[in-house]
Amino acid sequence: MAGSKTDLPQNLIAQIRYLEDLFTVDTQKLKAISDHFVSELDKGLSVEGGSIPMNPTWVMAFPDGHETGTYLALDMGGTNLRVCEITLTDQKSEFDIIQSKYRMPEELKTTNNNEELWDYIADCLHQFVETHHGDCAKVDVLPLGFTFSYPATQNYIDEGILQRWTKGFDINGVEGKNVVPMLDAALAKRGVPIRVTALINDTTGTMIASAYTDTKMKIGCIFGTGCNAAYMEEVGQIPKLAQLNLPADTPMAINCEWGAFDNEHKVLPRTSYDVAIDRDSPRPGQQAFEKMIAGLYLGEIFRLVLVDLHDNEEVNIFKGQDIAILRKPYSLDSSFLSGVEEDPFENLQETYDTFAQKLNIVCTLPELELIRRLAELIGTRAARLSACGVAAICKKKNYKSCHVGADGSVFNKYPHFKARGAQALKEILDWPEKSNPKEEDPIEVLAAEDGSGVGAALIAALTLKRVKGGNLAGILHPEHFK
Ligand code: BGC
């Protein structure tokens, strides 16, 4: 075959070996990482705290499938704002949904004036209500679950103090503040008849939405632009909530914010490229785990390696070519990497074309081979490291068998991510070989239900139900749930 590894020049073969060493995380290391992860999850729940925030969310039950009612849901994601109206019907575990998407203007993500963000969101909600309910002035107040997928400490379910921006957002004057009154104020200013009743993380929404239709679902994960997980804890296992004197077996969903795992760099096998990404990011020293795994960074890791291999005189890939486009930070996103891994042609024709068209780089066949291997290594490392987090929660909770609901662009679209993650889980948890390959794994990571739509509605419904039942724990405005 033209371009088989044997045809590679010696220096590229050596380089591929070097990259393999650098990016491969073997079973032993996976186990060490997940063991350390368990102790960090514990630390996050303690009074002293640790790197992983382990934020209580005031979601205090799984749904039973019999929730009903109509709710609005708003999801402030990285690329879009999504507004939904969800009706949980009388049929068990069924729902109807209408939704609209609005573009999230790039410049709003780093604006100096946070009011611009809230005003824009209020405008979108205004438009949604007018389209589906008519004149805002004549509509009764609608309850809204706000999926705000950033680390937020919640003393109440209807309040959330943003700890720090993640995923490339950097808007002035929001960190350390309660985001709910900011949105409420913008809504009031425009006369939009909406009240924020619950602030939700996408992982919590994902867990709850998935548990609505599948009672084996115990954990919700997002592998997308950012990465994170939520699971259900018992209050008795959360020392930092001891002062509330709640019964020890009270359930409490925890938004782990595990992107912050190993911020002190004790176990993760960081490369010089990971170090560079962190150094040049808006929040150096934060989100160490996320920066090795999440979609926002995969393309950037890949780009940094290629630039380095070009500049390294001993390797000098793309020799004599102008790599100006490739030098631009964050010019390659994770879909670029997916494209390379998905190239169906043995001569990597699609990758060749993409490099020529998008980067103005003409690749030799050996270079294409290296590019493909590098994409595989980065994608595989992300999937294997992600599995360490899932394994850690399962170990901590002693779950021998369960379902994990996962969502996000990397999970849904990145080639082989699921299979690579499943393989890593098997290695970490020492599962025996299956007698029948079609058999489920003891712990299966499955595509989740819509967390920021249905999940948000369910959380609003669950909260309403417990307020009605007289449980006001973690409710700042009980009147909003009437
Ligand atoms: C955020 C989390 C979120 C995750 C997935 C991270 O950057 O800090 O709150 O759940 O991305 O969207």
Side-chain angles (χ1 to χ4, degrees):
M1 163 193 121
S4 71
K5 295 256 158 50
T6 45
D7 291 343
L8 289 181
Q10 279 308 317
N11 67 340
L12 284 197
I13 292 180
Q15 206 49 49
I16 289 179
R17 296 263 148 76
Y18 171 72
L19 293 171
E20 283 171 346
D21 275 351
L22 204 57
F23 284 101
T24 302
V25 191
D26 65 18
T27 308
Q28 214 187 344
K29 186 71 180 166
L30 290 178
K31 288 184 174 185
I33 294 169
S34 56
D35 285 343
H36 185 56
F37 217 125
V38 177
S39 63
E40 288 297 302
L41 295 174
D42 284 335
K43 222 194 245 175
L45 295 174
S46 71
V47 177
E48 307 75 44
S51 300
I52 308 185
M54 303 297 275
N55 292 329
T57 63
W58 300 98
V59 174
M60 299 174 75
F62 275 118
D64 60 13
H66 295 291
E67 290 71 17
T68 53
T70 297
Y71 307 89
L72 292 186
L74 162 71
D75 182 9
M76 189 184 125
T79 32
N80 287 314
L81 269 188
R82 186 168 72 122
V83 182
C84 311
E85 185 169 307
I86 299 102
T87 304
L88 306 171
T89 67
D90 295 338
Q91 297 281 350
K92 184 171 188 285
S93 303
E94 302 259 321
F95 56 86
D96 294 325
I97 183 162
I98 46 175
Q99 60 170 328
S100 297
K101 282 192 176 162
Y102 307 86
R103 195 179 68 87
M104 182 78 194
E106 208 47 46
E107 59 280 8
L108 275 191
K109 294 186 193 168
T110 51
T111 173
N112 277 328
N113 177 3
N114 70 66
E115 264 186 52
E116 285 177 4
L117 170 76
W118 306 115
D119 286 348
Y120 179 75
I121 298 178
D123 279 343
C124 295
L125 287 167
H126 183 264
Q127 206 176 315
F128 185 88
V129 175
E130 294 248 317
T131 308
H132 298 289
H133 294 269
D135 188 355
C136 271
K138 298 188 186 135
V139 177
D140 285 343
V141 173
L142 298 155
L144 173 107
F146 178 16
T147 302
F148 182 72
S149 304
Y150 306 89
T153 4
Q154 291 183 272
N155 286 321
Y156 303 95
I157 194 162
D158 41 356
E159 169 214 79
I161 315 282
L162 175 67
Q163 291 164 313
R164 62 185 173 280
W165 287 115
T166 54
K167 297 181 285 198
F169 273 74
D170 192 11
I171 303 174
N172 247 356
V174 190
E175 282 182 338
K177 303 248 172 68
N178 183 0
V179 296
V180 175
M182 298 193 211
L183 176 56
D184 271 341
L187 290 168
K189 202 160 73 184
R190 278 193 172 35
V192 191
I194 288 179
R195 200 171 277 141
V196 181
T197 51
L199 193 81
I200 296 152
N201 186 261
D202 49 3
T203 54
T204 318
T206 295
M207 172 176 77
I208 295 297
S210 303
Y212 187 52
T213 52
D214 175 358
T215 50
K216 280 194 83 184
M217 287 283 182
K218 298 291 177 224
I219 299 171
C221 290
I222 301 287
F223 303 110
T225 308
C227 88
N228 187 17
Y231 74 103
M232 198 62 92
E233 192 46 276
E234 282 155 37
V235 168
Q237 303 296 318
I238 313 176
K240 65 185 178 186
L241 292 187
Q243 81 286 359
L244 297 174
N245 293 319
L246 291 167
D249 60 354
T250 311
M252 175 70 80
I254 298 290
N255 162 20
C256 300
E257 287 298 337
W258 76 17
F261 170 62
D262 204 33
N263 278 350
E264 48 293 279
H265 310 315
K266 287 201 176 135
V267 280
L268 290 175
R270 295 207 313 161
T271 66
S272 58
Y273 309 109
D274 301 301
V275 172
I277 286 197
D278 184 46
R279 185 194 58 216
D280 300 334
S281 72
R283 301 279 180 288
Q286 309 277 351
Q287 304 294 99
F289 187 55
E290 178 165 88
K291 282 171 178 157
M292 297 174 81
I293 289 176
L296 179 60
Y297 306 102
L298 296 184
E300 183 63 1
I301 301 172
F302 177 74
R303 188 192 72 80
L304 287 173
V305 177
L306 293 182
V307 169
D308 190 31
L309 296 185
H310 172 78
D311 291 345
N312 178 341
E313 278 172 13
E314 277 169 36
V315 190
N316 200 209
I317 56 169
F318 317 137
K319 195 169 184 169
Q321 299 195 56
D322 177 4
I323 66 154
I325 306 177
L326 186 66
R327 285 200 191 277
K328 191 163 167 267
Y330 290 90
S331 51
L332 307 184
D333 60 15
S334 56
S335 67
F336 189 98
L337 217 58
S338 305
V340 173
E341 282 221 50
E342 262 163 358
D343 189 341
F345 299 109
E346 202 164 288
N347 66 355
L348 299 170
Q349 185 64 44
E350 283 185 0
T351 308
Y352 177 91
D353 292 345
T354 316
F355 268 71
Q357 284 154 15
K358 296 209 172 134
L359 302 173
N360 212 9
I361 294 174
V362 177
C363 303
T364 64
L365 199 50
E367 284 166 353
L368 290 169
E369 296 267 3
L370 179 138
I371 287 167
R372 166 78 148 228
R373 187 72 189 117
L374 177 61
E376 276 167 13
L377 287 168
I378 293 172
T380 304
R381 186 184 73 158
R384 288 172 72 77
L385 290 178
S386 302
C388 294
V390 176
I393 295 181
C394 293
K395 279 190 186 178
K396 175 171 168 49
K397 295 303 294 171
N398 202 18
Y399 292 146
K400 300 286 182 228
S401 139
C402 71
H403 288 169
V404 176
D407 209 343
S409 50
V410 172
F411 183 77
N412 292 322
K413 298 202 190 123
Y414 197 93
H416 318 299
F417 187 84
K418 292 172 210 172
R420 290 166 178 170
Q423 169 61 29
L425 266 183
K426 174 174 183 278
E427 291 171 38
I428 299 169
L429 299 170
D430 290 316
W431 293 331
E433 281 309 320
K434 286 190 267 195
S435 45
N436 172 359
K438 289 205 182 115
E439 214 175 281
E440 267 206 345
D441 282 333
I443 294 163
E444 281 277 341
V445 184
L446 302 167
E449 292 294 333
D450 170 10
S452 60
V454 181
L458 283 164
I459 290 172
L462 289 168
T463 312
L464 189 68
K465 188 153 130 192
R466 78 177 164 91
V467 171
K468 281 198 178 138
N471 177 356
L472 295 180
I475 312 286
L476 185 58
H477 293 292
E479 69 280 10
H480 291 177
F481 291 90
K482 292 269 150 60

